[in-house]
Structure formats: structure tokens, C-alpha cells
Amino acid sequence: MIRGPVDGVVARALERGTWRFPASLALAAVWARAAHVARPLPLPAGARVIGVGGPTLGGSHKTPLVLALAHALAERGERVAVVAHGYGGAVSRARRVTTSDQASIVGDEALWLARDLRDAG
């Protein structure tokens, strides 16, 4: 949680990518060498992306946060699409999830997102 002027400076530096401590630079260099795109996702020109992630596979409320963000953006008139991993699903490639899909095929959270966002942007 951001609590003071020093923490706010660090948070803004992280947002801008200007936090320049040796440890962070070393980690960034390791990540740059090790990271690779598993499945590229072409985006339309001008698309804006918000990434929601974390170090845990479940229980940290990422999906409810995504739903809240998507609804808030849709209420502002933005077109919204959610790209998510269908954990627990059985599909082998990216596909659109519909409200009539089965959770055993697409994953329970992917189905939850599709149903909850069916009328959003």
C-alpha cells in the first residue's frame, strides 16, 4: 500500500519504468533474457491494454478485479474485451468463450467472465 511521500515517489518511478536500483536492473535483465511470448496476441491499432496479474494462481481476487474494471470501463462507453487463461479448461488454443459453454471445456472463471460481461462494451 502506498503510504507516504517516499512510497509515492517509488510508485511513480515503477509506473514510469524509471526505478533504477542495481537489483531491479539485474532482475529486469534476467527477465529480458528468459522471457518469451508463448502466444502472440495481435491488437488493433490504438488498443489500450490493462494487465492484471500476480504471483498466485488463485485466491488473490484477480478475476473480481478484472470484472470491476471491465464494468467501469463499459459504463464509460469503452469497448471491453477480456483475454484470460481458461484454468481448468480443456481447450488447446485461444477461442471466444460464450455464455452457453461448459466450464469443464473453457474453465470456470472464463465462463464466469463471459456470463458476467455479456452486456459490457
Side-chain angles (χ1 to χ4, degrees):
M1 177 171 276
I2 305 303
R3 292 189 186 244
V6 172
D7 293 332
V9 169
V10 171
R12 283 189 295 283
L14 287 170
E15 289 171 355
R16 289 191 294 263
T18 58
W19 196 34
R20 302 283 185 225
F21 289 102
S24 64
L25 294 173
L27 287 172
V30 169
W31 178 254
R33 284 192 300 276
H36 67 281
V37 176
R39 282 181 261 172
L41 178 66
L43 297 170
R48 293 175 287 172
V49 176
I50 299 172
V52 176
T56 60
L57 289 177
S60 59
H61 305 286
K62 294 181 295 288
T63 302
L65 175 63
V66 167
L67 285 169
L69 285 170
H71 282 295
L73 290 167
E75 287 172 11
R76 289 178 43 180
E78 303 289 342
R79 292 180 56 203
V80 176
V82 174
V83 178
H85 179 272
Y87 185 76
V91 294
S92 59
R93 61 181 179 75
R95 64 170 282 234
R96 182 180 296 259
V97 176
T98 67
T99 58
S100 61
D101 278 322
Q102 295 179 359
S104 60
I105 303 295
V106 297
D108 58 351
E109 290 195 352
L111 185 56
W112 175 24
L113 287 161
R115 288 178 176 169
D116 199 280
L117 295 172
R118 81 178 124 237
D119 298 323

